[in-house]
């Protein structure tokens, strides 16, 4: 491959008469891949096959360029200076907020709080909204498929408040048992925190339905969208959730930046999470008046270049026609499911009916760690381990899985490379 | 019960490192190298099941690694195991170098040989860490009895 496309991303991946071999019409996979320079890297002399996007996605040239342009041309502290650069920086930073608002279809830009990532967003809600509204003997409901980041902040809150953490069960396919879920939402349930897409199983949870059940009983709902945003079209108003959180780095943006969406009226009445500069209107030693949302929650100088990079990642995703992207990802997932199912001794973990781009599996008699080590030698990057979801691992009664996860740039050929690598693994171990 | 502690065949740690190097040099192909390492892991003395617990766990590895140490006639002997096959092989190599040596020799043997033999480079850093952590624990155990 030659010539990295660095220009406009708006026409990216749209049909221009070219259709890649195995790929869905209207989705030009070669042009999409050209935007990710790192995919041309070689490891151990072999072509990199990156199947670890659920851990972190790779970054398109447009994101890399937007961040370096910001640092080269616009860097100054936001919301503070009267000088020209400060104005440019503020415009870029606030521009990214508006992009995030449109990306989630939030009603107002001030419902978008920039944070370090989904983890910080959940901690913020737990320690601000949760601290105010969850009292003794109240309950917070999560599910058995949550990532540690959507478990531990609630455990900490429950410990502080003497409240109770309840866990909604799943079936063996990795789907929520909705009847059980509904039964667990009681009068004492103040908050329901649920992942949109499971990082281990790929399960897509029926958020709208969950929100309706929770709201009917007066509970608020936080949705962990970290694994959903790179794959699904998100509309927080249609979902009806109270909070939606995600990280930039799993959706082709940089690390260290993420979004907390919160409905205006909730953010208004929530106490600040951290104190510092920019989150105040006035400070005296007697009394401090807090700024309005979202600034109330953005103490200190924010990750400006990160926010700009996130904005560029949103542009990148907007440049891919969503239906075509979804069709492509669905096709590669279906192909991967078929091919992996045919590998002797392999069992897929997570076979939900509604599923996004994750292929977790175990192989008879081979530790996932060994699978990962051998695949690495073949240039195939996957994740192995408990995936920061130890309670889910014990529910499934397995110590770990190997996980191949897909991004917009993955193809059938990547699946073939994975399966060829697994043949090597079997030769070595079975 | 068979002895869970590894009794070395090589006379000194330096001999063991040299012998390991010679053995690995035979293999040009990385698959064969791994095959060899996996075989070494399979030949480790059986590790008692009730030692495979948190008290014996070496932290810092993606797979589980357990070890135990004992002092016999002025020499430290180690037992070790992992639930992953390649890591078990690396444990076997580590024990072949360090087990059955006087504490002073253990302390004097720098675990840099793992790197020199390409064993840490063969494993990416975060996976290699478990083995590095085990080497550290082995040497700490030796230091504690001096």
């Amino acid at each position: 491959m030659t010539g990295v496309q660095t220009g406009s991303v708006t026409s990216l991946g749209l049909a221009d008469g070219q259709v890649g071999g195995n790929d869905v019409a209207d989705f030009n996979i070669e042009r999409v891949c050209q935007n990710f320079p790192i995919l041309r890297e070689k490891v151990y002399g072999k072509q990199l096959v990156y199947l670890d996007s659920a851990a972190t996605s790779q970054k398109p040239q447009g994101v890399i360029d937007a961040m370096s342009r910001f640092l080269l041309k616009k860097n100054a502290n936001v919301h503070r200076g009267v000088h020209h650069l400060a104005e440019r920086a503020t415009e870029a930073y606030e521009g990214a907020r508006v992009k995030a608002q449109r990306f989630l279809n939030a009603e107002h830009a001030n419902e978008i709080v920039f944070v370090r990532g989904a983890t910080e967003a959940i901690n913020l809600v737990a320690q601000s909204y949760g601290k105010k509204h969850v009292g003794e003997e109240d309950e917070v409901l999560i599910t058995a498929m949550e990532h540690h980041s959507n478990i531990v902040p609630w455990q900490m809150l429950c410990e502080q408040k003497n409240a109770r953490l309840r866990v909604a069960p799943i079936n063996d396919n990795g789907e929520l048992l909705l009847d059980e879920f509904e039964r667990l939402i009681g009068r004492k349930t103040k908050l329901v925190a649920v992942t949109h897409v499971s990082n281990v199983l790929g399960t897509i949870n029926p958020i709208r339905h969950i929100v309706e059940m929770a709201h009917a009983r007066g509970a608020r709902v936080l949705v962990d969208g970290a694994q959903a945003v790179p794959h699904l079209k998100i509309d927080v108003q249609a979902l009806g959730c109270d909070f939606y959180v995600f990280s930039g780095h799993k959706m082709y943006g940089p690390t260290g930046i993420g979004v907390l969406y919160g409905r205006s009226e909730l953010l208004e009445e929530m106490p600040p999470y951290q104190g510092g500069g920019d989150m105040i209107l006035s400070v005296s030693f007697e009394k401090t008046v807090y700024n309005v949302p979202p600034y109330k929650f953005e103490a200190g100088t924010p990750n400006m270049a990160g926010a700009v990079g996130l904005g560029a990642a949103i542009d990148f995703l907007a440049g891919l026609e969503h239906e075509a992207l979804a069709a492509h990802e669905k096709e590669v997932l279906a192909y991967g499911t078929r091919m992996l199912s045919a590998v002797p001794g392999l069992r897929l973990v997570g076979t939900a009916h509604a599923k996004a781009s994750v292929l977790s599996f175990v192989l008879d008699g081979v530790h996932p760690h060994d699978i990962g080590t051998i695949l690495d030698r073949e240039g195939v990057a996957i994740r192995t381990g408990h995936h920061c979801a130890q309670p889910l691992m014990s529910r499934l009664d397995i110590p770990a899985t190997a996980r191949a996860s897909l991004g917009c740039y993955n193809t059938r050929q990547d699946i073939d490379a994975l399966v060829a690598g697994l043949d090597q693994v079997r030769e070595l171990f079975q | 019960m068979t002895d869970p502690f590894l009794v070395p065949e090589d006379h000194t740690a330096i001999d063991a490192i040299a012998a390991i190097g010679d053995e690995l040099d035979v293999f040009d192909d990385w698959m064969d190298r791994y095959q060899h390492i996996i075989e070494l892991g399979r030949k480790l003395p059986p590790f008692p099941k009730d030692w495979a617990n948190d008290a014996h766990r070496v932290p810092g590895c993606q797979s589980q690694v357990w070890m135990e140490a004992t002092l016999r006639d002025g020499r430290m002997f180690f037992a070790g195991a992992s639930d992953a096959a390649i890591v078990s092989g690396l444990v076997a190599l580590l024990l072949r170098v360090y087990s059955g040596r006087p504490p002073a020799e253990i302390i004097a043997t720098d675990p840099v040989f793992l790197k020199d033999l390409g064993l840490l480079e063969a494993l990416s850093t975060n996976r290699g860490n478990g083995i590095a952590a085990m080497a550290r624990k082995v040497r700490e155990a030796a230091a504690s009895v001096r």
Side-chain angles (χ1 to χ4, degrees):
Chain A
M1 273 186 281
T2 51
V4 181
Q5 189 178 334
T6 55
S8 158
V9 291
T10 49
S11 65
L12 238 185
L14 294 179
D16 61 354
Q18 268 180 284
V19 177
N22 295 315
D23 297 296
V24 180
D26 296 329
F27 188 80
N28 189 328
I29 185 68
E30 277 161 35
R31 279 176 62 187
V32 171
C33 289
Q34 274 171 25
N35 275 270
F36 292 85
I38 205 168
L39 297 179
R40 270 165 272 157
E41 285 296 303
K42 289 202 158 49
V43 288
Y44 307 111
K46 297 199 167 131
Q47 186 56 51
L48 169 69
V49 175
Y50 190 75
L51 292 170
D52 198 17
S53 292
T56 196
S57 64
Q58 296 304 344
K59 319 305 172 199
Q61 189 70 47
V63 168
I64 298 164
D65 289 345
M67 292 177 77
S68 67
R69 248 193 332 267
F70 177 84
L71 294 171
L72 286 167
K73 302 273 188 192
K74 300 180 184 175
N75 182 58
N77 210 330
V78 292
H79 307 144
R80 286 159 174 88
V82 290
H83 55 80
H84 183 69
L85 270 190
E87 191 51 45
R88 278 192 205 173
T90 304
E91 210 172 278
Y93 182 70
E94 291 304 323
R97 196 188 306 279
V98 173
K99 285 177 184 179
Q101 176 207 347
R102 291 189 188 133
F103 180 66
L104 294 178
N105 193 33
E107 205 177 341
H108 310 290
N110 64 13
E111 294 178 317
I112 304 296
V113 180
F114 281 128
V115 287
R116 275 190 296 143
T119 298
E120 188 179 44
I122 297 169
N123 278 281
L124 192 163
V125 175
Q127 291 303 317
S128 170
Y129 183 87
K131 216 169 200 168
K132 185 169 174 184
H133 292 282
V134 177
E136 204 168 316
E137 290 183 12
D138 280 340
E139 292 178 357
V140 175
L141 176 61
I142 61 171
T143 81
M145 67 173 89
E146 299 308 316
H147 187 281
H148 293 166
S149 62
N150 203 22
I151 302 173
V152 182
W154 305 117
Q155 273 176 335
M156 290 162 68
L157 173 69
C158 288
E159 207 160 280
Q160 290 159 5
K161 296 296 212 164
N162 217 358
R164 192 167 165 210
L165 187 68
R166 308 211 69 181
V167 184
I170 57 172
N171 65 21
D172 290 340
N173 295 332
E175 292 161 320
L176 271 178
L177 296 169
L178 288 171
D179 290 348
E180 293 287 321
F181 194 99
E182 186 161 28
R183 252 195 295 282
L184 283 166
I185 311 172
R187 271 191 314 113
K188 290 178 175 174
T189 311
K190 290 290 180 289
L191 249 162
V192 172
V194 57
T195 190
H196 198 165
V197 171
S198 158
N199 69 311
V200 178
L201 307 165
T203 310
I204 303 174
N205 284 318
I207 297 301
R208 233 195 115 135
H209 185 53
I210 287 170
V211 169
E212 278 166 13
M213 291 192 298
H215 282 180
R217 288 164 182 75
R220 302 285 185 205
V221 180
L222 176 140
V223 181
D224 173 2
Q227 297 292 341
V229 284
H231 307 297
L232 309 178
K233 207 169 178 69
I234 310 299
D235 182 338
V236 289
Q237 294 186 68
L239 291 173
C241 56
D242 301 288
F243 302 102
Y244 196 98
V245 309
F246 69 88
S247 300
H249 74 97
K250 293 192 201 283
M251 53 163 285
Y252 314 111
T255 49
I257 189 76
V259 163
L260 161 66
Y261 156 82
R263 287 200 292 110
S264 294
E265 60 268 36
L266 298 176
L267 292 181
E268 290 284 349
E269 52 102 7
M270 278 161 59
Y273 171 53
Q274 292 178 323
D278 214 23
M279 54 78 72
I280 46 82
L281 287 178
S282 68
V283 176
S284 70
F285 288 118
E286 290 71 38
K287 183 167 175 61
T288 289
V289 180
Y290 301 129
N291 206 335
V292 293
Y295 310 110
K296 181 166 71 174
F297 301 105
E298 293 180 3
T301 297
N303 182 357
M304 303 174 294
V308 169
L310 174 61
I314 290 170
D315 287 344
F316 169 77
L317 276 171
L320 306 172
E321 206 241 312
H322 181 74
E323 279 68 33
L325 168 67
H328 168 77
E329 291 189 346
K330 193 177 167 192
E331 201 273 336
V332 179
L333 179 67
Y335 181 73
T337 304
R338 206 159 63 238
M339 294 302 285
L340 287 182
S341 302
V343 174
L346 187 146
R347 181 167 67 86
L348 283 168
V349 177
T351 48
H353 182 68
K355 204 180 150 175
S357 306
V358 172
L359 292 158
S360 265
F361 59 91
V362 289
L363 194 57
D364 274 352
V366 190
H367 193 284
H369 193 289
D370 291 322
I371 299 174
T373 305
I374 300 302
L375 289 178
D376 175 51
R377 270 282 162 177
E378 293 292 302
V380 180
I382 63 157
R383 171 94 187 258
T384 64
H386 55 63
H387 314 293
C388 299
Q390 287 177 332
L392 175 59
M393 292 293 127
S394 27
R395 160 64 182 83
L396 300 168
D397 204 19
I398 43 179
T401 76
R403 180 190 69 186
S405 55
L406 308 166
C408 64
Y409 32 66
N410 289 117
T411 61
R412 281 181 173 222
Q413 286 75 19
D414 296 337
I415 300 290
D416 293 341
L418 170 65
V419 172
L422 288 173
D423 287 343
Q424 296 263 44
V425 172
R426 289 173 43 241
E427 197 181 309
L428 208 51
F429 291 96
Q430 289 178 337
Chain B
M1 194 181 110
T2 35
D3 189 358
F5 294 96
L6 188 107
V7 180
E9 287 169 16
D10 312 289
H11 287 298
T12 64
I14 291 170
D15 289 349
I17 294 167
I20 292 167
D22 290 345
E23 285 168 28
L24 289 174
D25 275 348
V26 173
F27 307 105
D28 298 330
D29 183 57
W30 68 266
M31 272 273 280
D32 295 339
R33 259 183 142 209
Y34 274 130
Q35 183 91 61
H36 176 67
I37 291 171
I38 291 163
E39 282 305 317
L40 295 177
R42 287 184 179 142
K43 287 182 198 149
L44 266 174
F47 193 78
K49 274 208 169 68
D50 50 348
W51 285 0
N53 57 22
D54 281 349
H56 290 83
R57 208 172 154 189
V58 180
C61 190
Q62 279 191 26
S63 63
Q64 308 206 66
V65 177
W66 305 277
M67 67 168 263
E68 176 63 293
T70 188
L71 189 67
R72 293 175 184 164
D73 304 328
R75 287 168 185 266
M76 296 281 306
F77 287 80
F78 297 96
S82 169
D83 56 348
I86 295 170
V87 179
S88 292
L90 294 173
V91 169
L93 289 175
L94 202 68
L95 296 193
R96 183 167 160 195
V97 171
Y98 286 113
S99 189
R101 316 282 175 213
E105 188 180 353
I106 293 171
I107 293 160
T109 306
D110 194 318
V112 75
F113 73 86
L114 288 166
K115 214 170 173 176
D116 296 342
L117 293 171
L119 293 171
L120 281 187
E121 159 224 304
L123 297 160
S124 67
T125 327
N126 52 4
R127 272 179 248 138
N129 271 342
I131 289 302
M134 184 165 174
R136 208 161 41 238
K137 264 199 120 168
V138 161
R139 298 172 83 227
E140 276 167 18
S144 71
V145 299
R146 282 191 90 195

